[in-house]
Amino acid sequence: MRKEWTLLLLFITTAVNAQYPILEQTSYKRGLYRSFEEFKNNNPSLPLTYQIFSEDTKPSLFDKRVQRLYELEIRKKEGRKIGRVFGFCDGRYIYIWTPSYKKDAFPLFPEGPVGPNARFAKLLILDTLSYFEDLGATAPAGAPLVAGPYGTMYGGANPSLYVRGNLLDLGTGNITELTKGRLKELLKNDPELSAVFEKESGKQRKLGEYLMYYTARKRGSRELPQ
């Protein structure tokens, strides 16, 4: 989590009028979520007995940000017995499975059972819309198209990576990319914050930050980005 978001996140989580068990809890249950429903109900059905590792990836020479993804120390054979999972919780943070790109991996990690190829992103519980970041990819010139879980993806060698913000809708379980267009639609409900965003340079790198301000202001905060 980026440092400048910490105070906003505290405001949001203490002010949320919960509609789902995962929002009602002051603490999260440790374990593996087999499904979105288990996550939403703060009720993992499998114990978490595996070591958690993290890996940092710098998307490009032109982007100074480093994206951190997580994995569990689970062998393939054991992972096949467990099957597909939605994510896991270490008792403090929640991590959800993501088909994120990784250097030298083509084109995506598969939507298979949990195991060495499964990557997870840390989820920020904001409200009925929650947020996480992973790595997306844009197509090299002339690259063939490949269908993926986030829509059409691109094959070919050496795709361009970028830090991708994503929204998780607790009402539907749908995951969509947070684009400038999507954020602008949300900010129509907050003209003051929208006006500040329109004046920003480098909007693409500040989408997650503005989403947090938007959520906090819905809960009564009057804070604006400086």
Side-chain angles (χ1 to χ4, degrees):
M1 186 196 319
R2 313 217 185 285
K3 292 181 180 179
E4 61 268 25
W5 295 353
T6 303
L7 291 178
L8 277 175
L9 183 60
L10 287 173
F11 180 89
I12 293 165
T13 55
T14 55
V16 163
N17 180 17
Q19 301 177 33
Y20 304 94
I22 195 65
L23 299 179
E24 294 172 358
Q25 304 299 320
T26 55
S27 62
Y28 305 131
K29 294 180 182 177
R30 179 183 175 91
L32 286 165
Y33 308 112
R34 282 193 179 276
S35 66
F36 169 72
E37 292 299 320
E38 288 188 1
F39 154 73
K40 187 170 67 173
N41 291 312
N42 191 29
N43 188 32
S45 61
L46 295 173
L48 178 63
T49 58
Y50 311 100
Q51 189 170 352
I52 303 169
F53 294 98
S54 64
E55 180 178 354
D56 292 340
T57 300
K58 187 176 180 181
S60 73
L61 294 174
F62 307 102
D63 193 338
K64 295 181 180 179
R65 293 176 294 176
V66 172
Q67 185 55 41
R68 176 165 294 179
L69 295 174
Y70 300 83
E71 58 186 288
L72 296 173
E73 189 181 31
I74 301 178
R75 295 182 178 180
K76 288 183 179 179
K77 185 176 180 180
E78 187 172 4
R80 285 195 293 269
K81 290 181 181 179
I82 296 173
R84 181 83 163 88
V85 300
F86 178 80
F88 67 91
C89 177
D90 62 7
R92 185 179 180 187
Y93 298 111
I94 291 171
Y95 308 80
I96 66 172
W97 185 92
T98 170
S100 183
Y101 268 76
K102 180 173 179 272
K103 281 187 176 180
D104 304 320
F106 171 81
L108 293 166
F109 285 111
E111 290 191 68
V114 66
N117 285 339
R119 294 295 183 271
F120 299 85
K122 186 179 290 186
L123 183 70
L124 301 182
I125 301 289
L126 303 178
D127 199 337
T128 52
L129 281 182
S130 291
Y131 180 75
F132 69 93
E133 291 180 342
D134 61 2
L135 291 175
T138 56
L145 300 179
V146 179
Y150 285 91
T152 302
M153 300 299 292
Y154 298 93
N158 301 318
S160 299
L161 302 182
Y162 67 98
V163 175
R164 177 175 60 188
N166 304 281
L167 299 174
L168 169 63
D169 188 329
L170 287 186
T172 64
N174 291 336
I175 295 174
T176 55
E177 183 172 355
L178 178 62
T179 62
K180 285 187 286 187
R182 177 70 173 116
L183 181 62
K184 285 181 178 181
E185 283 297 315
L186 292 173
L187 294 185
K188 285 181 180 179
N189 300 313
D190 189 335
E192 187 179 13
L193 183 59
S194 178
V196 176
F197 180 69
E198 289 300 327
K199 296 177 182 178
E200 282 281 7
S201 59
K203 289 182 175 63
Q204 186 64 39
R205 299 186 181 189
K206 298 179 180 179
L207 301 180
E209 178 183 353
Y210 272 80
L211 176 68
M212 288 201 171
Y213 276 103
Y214 171 73
T215 307
R217 285 168 61 84
K218 280 179 63 181
R219 296 295 170 185
S221 170
R222 303 321 303 162
E223 191 82 16
L224 287 170
Q226 300 300 316

